[in-house]
């Protein structure tokens, strides 16, 4: 088959792309409840657990992920069934994931009459660990599917972009509901408590997981032929350390985990400085609208810059915009809701383009590293490679949430739960300033360090094109061997 003919093919149709996208939305709706400042706020302010205990738990589990996620990835790579190696997990996991999502946020209601802090902490650990296990077993094969769904980079980009776009629209609704419900509760508009707000959202999330996330297993196909040989768990771990480009991506993202502090302290800024959690909705609206459009701009940007250059540009722009925002808002960050809204709208508008890049480009780069290892060793390792992506996302959330929560005492912010269930915040003299800095500036200063590993990432230009060209030929040969003579296009139809 000629290069032009294969480039013109599209193995993944519109319906399958949409199914993959809605599946991601179903997963992301629930995941947003665990991300950044909302999980910290839930455990400290709603469940009444000390910040130090929450921060310690999240940090410990983040460290465990460094071992657990690659093991799960190796297990997935070892899987061989008539349904593929990824789909079996996507068919089974939605049910226990939905149940454990509700389990985590049911704690304050189930233990409403419990005064024993140890019982609450044990419940937090157990429920969160179980949820995290099933989340990993769903997320790793889901993103592994983005590389196995087609051998063509164009198909993969469309699949990833569709998943991210639909999840931004539908999955992101949970980030809309949370602040609105919190404000309604805090202002006594309805008779629900904060714990009931989170429980209701977790039940909705469970429904989204069962109804939408399950589409990934039922409506998508694995089209990239796997090797006949079944790798051992140890082989899966070993291949990770042989994949230098993937290691550079890992290192860059590990260094960049502290940029997650921005998300943690965004929650505390709107809730505790402006005392208006729902302000995030109109402030982020222009950026959200523009962010949807930027999915269309990624292919155009990739014609000008390679993925490595795009990542470097992303890091640099975030630092510059963060510095300008911090300095410009120093005089009115807690005194003028109008002025701060305009300033943060501008920041979010600029960031929205790069948020889209972060949703698509790193996943595409990980897909390239899988092709690289197949080219180098003959083995594909979607499980171990995308377990790294899952680990990085959870590490960013864990480290930033843990550190951000532990810093609450340092910056002088604490909470007291009153007999009627309401919560009172206590602040030191400069607490609001520290929150502003940790929201707008500090994360992006630290983020500059994450550029260093990318200087050593070399899957670009002629090398990447050579790999893609040679893999087209090898996959055709492998498909003939596996299928007994069928051509690649027949095998993938």
């Amino acid at each position: 088959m000629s290069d032009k003919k294969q480039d013109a093919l599209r193995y993944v149709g519109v319906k399958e792309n949409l199914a993959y996208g809605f599946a991601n939305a179903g997963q992301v709706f629930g995941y947003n409840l665990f991300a950044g400042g909302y999980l910290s706020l839930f455990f400290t302010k709603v469940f009444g657990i000390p910040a130090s205990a929450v921060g310690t738990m999240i940090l410990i589990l983040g460290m465990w992920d460094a071992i657990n996620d690659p093991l799960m990835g190796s297990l997935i790579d070892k899987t061989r069934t008539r349904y593929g190696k990824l789909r079996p997990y996507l068919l089974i996991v939605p049910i226990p994931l939905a149940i454990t999502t509700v389990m985590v946020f049911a704690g304050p209601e189930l233990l409403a009459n419990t005064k024993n802090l140890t019982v609450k902490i044990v419940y937090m650990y157990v429920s969160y660990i179980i949820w995290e296990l099933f989340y990993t077993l769903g997320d790793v094969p889901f993103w592994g599917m983005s590389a196995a769904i087609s051998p063509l980079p164009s198909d993969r980009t469309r699949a990833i972009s569709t998943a991210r776009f639909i999840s931004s629209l539908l999955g992101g609704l949970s980030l809309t509901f949370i602040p609105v419900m919190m404000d309604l509760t805090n202002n006594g508009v309805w008779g629900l408590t904060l714990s009931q707000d989170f429980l209701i959202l977790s039940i909705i999330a469970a429904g989204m997981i069962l109804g939408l996330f399950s589409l990934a297993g039922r409506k998508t196909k694995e089209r990239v032929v796997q090797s006949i040989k079944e790798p051992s768990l140890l082989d899966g771990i070993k291949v990770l350390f042989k994949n230098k480009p993937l290691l550079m991506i890992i290192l860059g993202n590990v260094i960049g985990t502290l940029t997650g502090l921005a998300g943690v302290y965004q929650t505390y800024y709107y809730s505790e400085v402006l005392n208006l959690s729902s302000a995030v909705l109109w402030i982020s609206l222009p950026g959200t609208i523009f962010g949807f459009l930027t999915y269309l701009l990624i292919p155009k940007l990739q014609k000008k810059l390679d993925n490595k250059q795009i990542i470097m540009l992303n890091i640099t722009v975030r630092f510059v915009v963060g510095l300008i925002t911090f300095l410009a808002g120093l005089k009115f960050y807690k005194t003028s809701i109008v002025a701060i809204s305009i300033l943060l709208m501008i920041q979010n508008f600029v960031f929205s383009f790069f948020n889209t890049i972060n949703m698509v480009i790193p996943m595409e780069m990980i897909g390239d590293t899988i092709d690289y290892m197949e080219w180098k060793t003959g083995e594909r390792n979607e499980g171990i490679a995308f377990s790294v992506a899952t680990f990085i996302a959870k590490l960013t959330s864990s480290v930033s949430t843990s550190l951000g929560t532990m810093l609450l005492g340092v910056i002088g912010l604490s909470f007291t739960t009153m007999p009627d269930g309401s919560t009172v915040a206590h602040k030191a003299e400069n607490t609001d300033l520290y929150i502003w800095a940790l929201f707008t500036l500090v994360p992006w200063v630290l983020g500059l360090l994450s550029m260093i590993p990318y200087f050593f990432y070399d899957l670009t230009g002629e090398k990447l094109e050579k790999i893609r060209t040679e893999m087209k030929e090898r996959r055709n040969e492998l498909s003939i061997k596996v299928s007994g003579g069928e051509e690649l296009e027949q095998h993938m139809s």
Side-chain angles (χ1 to χ4, degrees), residues 362-375:
M363 290 298 182
E364 192 173 306
M365 292 172 75
I366 291 175
D368 288 337
T369 70
I370 295 172
D371 289 344
Y372 165 74
M373 286 307 293
E374 184 182 8
W375 173 76

Side-chain angles (χ1 to χ4, degrees), residues 418-483:
M418 306 303 290
D420 62 358
S422 62
T423 305
V424 177
H426 307 282
K427 299 180 187 178
E429 181 179 356
N430 293 317
T431 296
D432 288 345
L433 175 61
Y434 293 143
I435 292 176
W436 175 245
L438 287 163
F439 169 32
T440 60
L441 177 63
V442 174
W444 314 120
V445 173
L446 298 173
L448 289 174
L449 297 173
S450 65
M451 284 198 294
I452 297 173
Y454 286 101
F455 286 111
F456 303 96
Y457 178 88
D458 63 353
L459 281 188
T460 59
E462 294 182 1
K463 180 176 180 178
L464 184 57
E465 287 303 314
K466 178 183 178 182
I467 292 172
R468 287 174 173 173
T469 300
E470 292 185 8
M471 287 314 303
K472 289 177 185 178
E473 300 173 0
R474 291 192 199 178
R475 286 176 183 140
N476 190 49
E477 293 173 0
L478 181 59
S479 69
I480 293 173
K481 181 179 179 181
V482 172
S483 62

